[in-house]
Amino acid sequence: MNTSLANSARMVWAALRMLLVLTVVTGIVYPLVVTGIGQAAFHDKANGSMVKVEGTEVGSKLIGQSWNIKGTGKPDPKWFQGRPSNSDYDPLTTGSSQLGASDPTLVKNVEAAKKQVAEFNGVPESKVPADAVTGSASAIDPDISTGYADIQVKRVAKVNGLTEAQLQKLVDDHTTDRTLGFMGQPRVNVLELNIALKELTEK
């Protein structure tokens, strides 16, 4: 009986020691090591890739945001617009609409959005690219295609009193090529582009 109790006590003590060791390793040591590596090797991304203008954070390069007229749901014509967002660019409720490509509701919404984008930018519907009327899987994509940026140049230039050549150069200067030269498509970060636009209009 005493031997059985002693063996049980040793097993419990061994289990507690293992629990303590694993708690320290996985709950303290591992997070600290990963955090340290992240801060040392990927400091900007590990801290959210925040963008500052005159010392004030204005957003993240990794998260899209609204460029509507303040207090309304209408897009502001003086800014380049990003992709539509099913979550209103809320990073806490990311996700697509979950509608299939052949879903009548999605088809109807895309057709309506294409008409609105075409009218807003003064281009034919055939020039409206897919990313101008469909959200990304995350709903917070910060980038747009060069095609979507290009169709906005005329409208943004006119509203801000700039030439189309100035705006096109701005878009070209802020275009990121394919990752590693072959992955994905050329893209433009909307936040960085609009910050550059603001700086250009203030010169």
Side-chain angles (χ1 to χ4, degrees):
M1 182 71 173
N2 290 335
T3 302
S4 178
L5 286 174
N7 288 337
S8 296
R10 283 196 296 271
M11 290 176 65
V12 169
W13 175 235
L16 288 174
R17 283 183 295 174
M18 181 60 70
L19 175 62
L20 178 62
V21 170
L22 289 175
T23 298
V24 171
V25 171
T26 61
I28 300 176
V29 176
Y30 177 75
L32 287 176
V33 170
V34 171
T35 300
I37 293 173
Q39 290 295 327
F42 312 101
H43 180 76
D44 184 50
K45 290 184 178 179
N47 289 288
S49 296
M50 301 306 294
V51 178
K52 291 184 177 182
V53 175
E54 298 178 354
T56 302
E57 290 184 351
V58 295
S60 168
K61 290 187 290 186
L62 304 177
I63 300 176
Q65 59 182 275
S66 170
W67 295 95
N68 290 339
I69 297 172
K70 190 174 182 180
T72 75
K74 298 180 179 179
D76 194 330
K78 73 178 182 180
W79 301 116
F80 283 92
Q81 298 294 316
R83 294 187 70 167
S85 172
N86 188 58
S87 68
D88 197 26
Y89 305 101
D90 184 353
L92 298 179
T93 57
T94 59
S96 68
S97 66
Q98 304 301 313
L99 297 176
S102 60
D103 189 293
T105 301
L106 178 63
V107 174
K108 182 179 178 180
N109 291 343
V110 167
E111 289 177 348
K114 182 177 288 188
K115 182 178 180 180
Q116 291 175 351
V117 171
E119 291 178 350
F120 185 62
N121 292 287
V123 298
E125 291 186 29
S126 59
K127 294 289 186 180
V128 177
D131 64 313
V133 294
T134 57
S136 64
S138 69
I140 55 173
D141 191 344
D143 304 322
I144 58 175
S145 66
T146 54
Y148 188 20
D150 289 343
I151 69 168
Q152 300 186 64
V153 165
K154 183 177 180 179
R155 182 250 305 162
V156 176
K158 182 178 180 180
V159 174
N160 288 284
L162 300 169
T163 67
E164 291 183 36
Q166 286 177 296
L167 264 294
Q168 190 61 60
K169 183 178 186 305
L170 202 66
V171 169
D172 294 342
D173 289 345
H174 288 81
T175 296
T176 301
D177 291 329
R178 292 179 172 85
T179 303
L180 299 179
F182 66 93
M183 295 174 61
Q185 296 294 326
R187 58 198 181 277
V188 183
N189 186 279
V190 181
L191 175 60
E192 294 181 326
L193 179 60
N194 280 332
I195 290 174
L197 170 62
K198 184 175 184 293
E199 292 174 349
L200 183 61
T201 59
E202 291 175 346
K203 287 183 178 179

